[in-house]
Amino acid sequence: MELFLDTANLADVERLAKILPIHGVTTNPSIIAKEKRPLLSALSELQQIIGKDKLLFAQTIAHDTQGMIKEAQYLREHIDNLIVKIPVTAEGLSAIKALTQQGIPTLGTAVYGAGQGFLAALAGAKYIAPYVNRIDAQGGDGICAVRELNTLLRLHKPETKVCAASFRTPRQVLDCMLAGAGSVTVGPDVIELFIQDPAVFAAIDKFDQDWFRAFNKNSL
Ligand code: E4P
């Protein structure tokens, strides 16, 4: 099971990389734009924080195949071991095929259905990112898409992994893992919901109060 942080915020990555056994960091154009930093310096700072043994992902902006290929090559020239995120359009599929032949690893992104994701896997993508919450928001079933995609991959393309993405709640993340997703990428806001449950703090407070009442101290 692989856990990625879906953010380019350096402070969040620094804090959460100390707490969680992360496999790396994923970004997209909106995530990079939010930090208002040039792409390459944002990526190299993220890589410095997580270490080069962890995976780092960045997305192309071009819409045409040649543009995507050029941007992917540019990103790989500047950032070691980067995995390039390519939107799974017709042009994107063609770029994924070409980049795979060049030995550049890709993640097929903007995936809204199992069939679309499966084609990206056949084209050679290492990871496929179904957008769980965005599928749900359209009235679809994001978890079902993850389950179907994962089943297709396990049967027909076992070397490709589902990297479930786009979450609003911890429940969606758990359901994806139960549906077989081999990796998930989760934003800091949803990660915090896993580890900042007020009920946990209330339970610890009660232990402290009971202890203090009995022993008049706050230590063992
Ligand atoms: C990952 O590949 C996606 O870029 C990202 O998780 C989308 O998440 P959002 O729907 O929260 O923007």
Side-chain angles (χ1 to χ4, degrees):
M1 179 69 216
E2 296 174 339
L3 171 63
F4 296 103
L5 295 177
D6 200 23
T7 181
N9 184 278
L10 300 180
D12 284 341
V13 172
E14 210 147 16
R15 169 179 139 71
L16 293 170
K18 284 190 191 125
I19 299 173
L20 302 167
I22 61 159
H23 274 73
V25 167
T26 59
T27 69
N28 64 30
S30 306
I31 285 172
I32 295 286
K34 200 167 148 197
E35 301 308 317
K36 298 189 167 41
R37 299 174 54 73
L39 175 62
L40 291 182
S41 43
L43 292 174
S44 56
E45 286 185 64
L46 287 167
Q47 197 166 54
Q48 266 173 30
I49 295 172
I50 61 176
K52 286 192 177 174
D53 56 322
K54 300 281 190 287
L55 300 180
L56 182 61
F57 298 71
Q59 191 168 322
T60 53
I61 302 288
H63 288 195
D64 63 299
T65 302
Q66 278 319 309
M68 288 174 178
I69 293 170
K70 276 199 188 120
E71 289 181 355
Q73 290 166 338
Y74 169 82
L75 288 169
R76 288 275 299 187
E77 272 162 29
H78 290 86
I79 307 290
D80 293 339
N81 302 326
L82 187 88
I83 300 188
V84 183
K85 293 175 68 176
I86 306 279
V88 184
T89 55
E91 294 77 9
L93 284 170
S94 175
I96 290 169
K97 266 179 70 175
L99 291 167
T100 303
Q101 279 162 12
Q102 294 173 26
I104 296 184
T106 57
L107 174 150
T109 196
V111 169
Y112 282 76
Q116 179 201 7
F118 186 59
L119 288 180
L122 291 182
K126 262 180 90 115
Y127 287 90
I128 311 293
Y131 281 10
V132 175
N133 191 67
R134 295 196 199 193
I135 295 173
D136 287 353
Q138 281 189 333
D141 186 339
I143 306 300
C144 176
V146 168
R147 185 177 300 107
E148 285 183 356
L149 177 58
N150 188 59
T151 303
L152 286 165
L153 295 181
R154 300 292 64 81
L155 286 171
H156 303 294
K157 199 72 174 44
E159 64 273 30
T160 303
K161 289 181 186 165
V162 173
C163 178
S166 177
F167 296 111
R168 286 296 166 273
T169 67
R171 187 70 247 169
Q172 289 172 320
V173 181
L174 295 183
D175 285 342
C176 279
M177 294 190 282
L178 288 168
S183 49
V184 291
T185 184
V186 188
D189 49 343
V190 177
I191 295 273
E192 296 295 348
L193 295 175
F194 274 101
I195 54 180
Q196 303 288 357
D197 184 338
V200 174
F201 300 120
I204 294 169
D205 274 353
K206 177 72 168 63
F207 292 139
D208 289 348
Q209 286 163 21
D210 291 346
W211 188 264
F212 192 81
R213 220 171 283 129
F215 304 111
N216 204 30
K217 59 179 186 173
N218 288 319
S219 58
L220 287 180

